[in-house]
Amino acid sequence: AQSVTQLDSQVPVFEEAPVELRCNYSSSVSVYLFWYVQYPNQGLQLLLKYLSGSTLVKGINGFEAEFNKSQTSFHLRKPSVHISDTAEYFCAVSPIWGSQGNLIFGKGTKLSVKP
Amino acid sequence: EPEVTQTPSHQVTQMGQEVILRCVPISNHLYFYWYRQILGQKVEFLVSFYNNEISEKSEIFDDQFSVERPDGSNFTLKIRSTKLEDSAMYFCASSALSGAARNTEAFFGQGTRLTVV
């Protein structure tokens, strides 16, 4: 079985400041890792994913995440946030042998960017 | 850009009534999913569907739930007798392939907010 823990439920930050949203996972099998973003009143949009290879993954909107196998973490970072980044961010995993759509999500982190 | 569409965006139903949530996945996708998100809680996997049958389901997906692909385009989730605790946002998703294929991102619809009163 897999589980995902997002340590911060809410992260307030000022515009142009850096941000890190934390994600840890546990799994008895190898997994793919994902970050999704949910803007207000919208569905889930994929930000980035780690399948294999380089542990630093770059996604859309200037976000990146680093896979750390020893710490079972996949933290999301952005060096300078914008007001438009205000949204809820979900970390998720799926077992590699199966459909990438069988996702196990964390509880989400609400990022609030203030001017 | 192709997208997953869900209807209706919001549905209110009385407890005990049957409700059908509709989804149109991306046309060349083969895998279909339903998730739900109870207000303030995490997004939870309900069921995956491939080749006209359920490929995986969670503990949440009990006998009150069923899925169907009635034609070549729609994918539906039926709740037979709704309970108050079924109130949630229901997301449909679809993906092209599975397993080790790299470009098998799951695309999500905007969701249907179900309110059971």
Side-chain angles (χ1 to χ4, degrees):
Chain A
Q2 297 81 41
S3 68
V4 177
T5 302
Q6 291 183 245
L7 297 164
D8 306 297
S9 59
Q10 297 191 47
V11 173
V13 64
F14 286 106
E15 193 174 18
E16 297 184 7
V19 70
E20 179 179 80
L21 306 183
R22 296 180 291 170
C23 172
N24 288 87
Y25 71 94
S26 68
S27 177
S28 56
V29 300
S30 297
V31 294
Y32 297 136
L33 298 121
F34 306 82
W35 276 98
Y36 281 83
V37 60
Q38 184 179 27
Y39 297 104
N41 301 315
Q42 294 190 27
L44 296 164
Q45 180 183 3
L46 182 68
L47 265 183
L48 48 79
K49 62 183 177 182
Y50 173 78
L51 303 182
S52 66
S54 172
T55 57
L56 183 63
V57 180
K58 293 189 186 295
I60 61 172
N61 301 339
F63 283 93
E64 64 181 32
E66 185 153 21
F67 170 55
N68 187 319
K69 189 173 182 179
S70 63
Q71 296 186 2
T72 60
S73 68
F74 190 54
H75 301 331
L76 181 71
R77 294 190 285 261
K78 186 170 182 178
S80 175
V81 294
H82 302 291
I83 299 286
S84 58
D85 293 323
T86 294
E88 190 157 17
Y89 292 80
F90 293 91
C91 182
V93 302
S94 72
I96 64 169
W97 299 114
S99 169
Q100 282 193 25
N102 290 23
L103 295 156
I104 295 92
F105 285 88
K107 288 189 174 182
T109 298
K110 290 184 179 176
L111 176 65
S112 174
V113 181
K114 306 178 184 211
Chain B
E1 186 176 329
E3 60 180 13
V4 176
T5 56
Q6 291 185 243
T7 54
S9 57
H10 189 190
Q11 180 152 0
V12 181
T13 189
Q14 288 202 326
M15 191 169 53
Q17 293 296 306
E18 175 183 285
V19 66
I20 297 176
L21 309 183
R22 303 182 189 279
C23 169
V24 179
I26 295 173
S27 62
N28 64 344
H29 284 187
L30 302 176
Y31 288 82
F32 314 111
Y33 316 88
W34 283 101
Y35 288 80
R36 79 171 184 191
Q37 184 183 25
I38 295 172
L39 188 64
Q41 299 187 25
K42 66 172 69 178
V43 178
E44 302 171 292
F45 169 76
L46 291 178
V47 65
S48 60
F49 191 85
Y50 170 71
N51 199 26
N52 285 320
E53 60 182 24
I54 290 173
S55 52
E56 189 172 345
K57 60 182 181 179
S58 71
E59 293 177 352
I60 303 167
F61 194 87
D62 62 21
D63 291 343
Q64 292 294 320
F65 292 90
S66 63
V67 289
E68 192 177 29
R69 189 154 162 82
D71 52 42
S73 60
N74 289 285
F75 179 53
T76 61
L77 174 69
K78 183 193 290 186
I79 308 175
R80 287 192 184 82
S81 178
T82 50
K83 303 187 282 285
L84 294 177
E85 53 265 38
D86 293 327
S87 294
M89 179 74 89
Y90 288 81
F91 291 105
C92 174
S94 68
S95 67
L97 295 168
S98 73
R102 287 182 171 267
N103 294 317
T104 59
E105 171 188 347
F107 291 81
F108 284 78
Q110 292 192 335
T112 293
R113 181 167 297 285
L114 176 66
T115 303
V116 182
V117 297

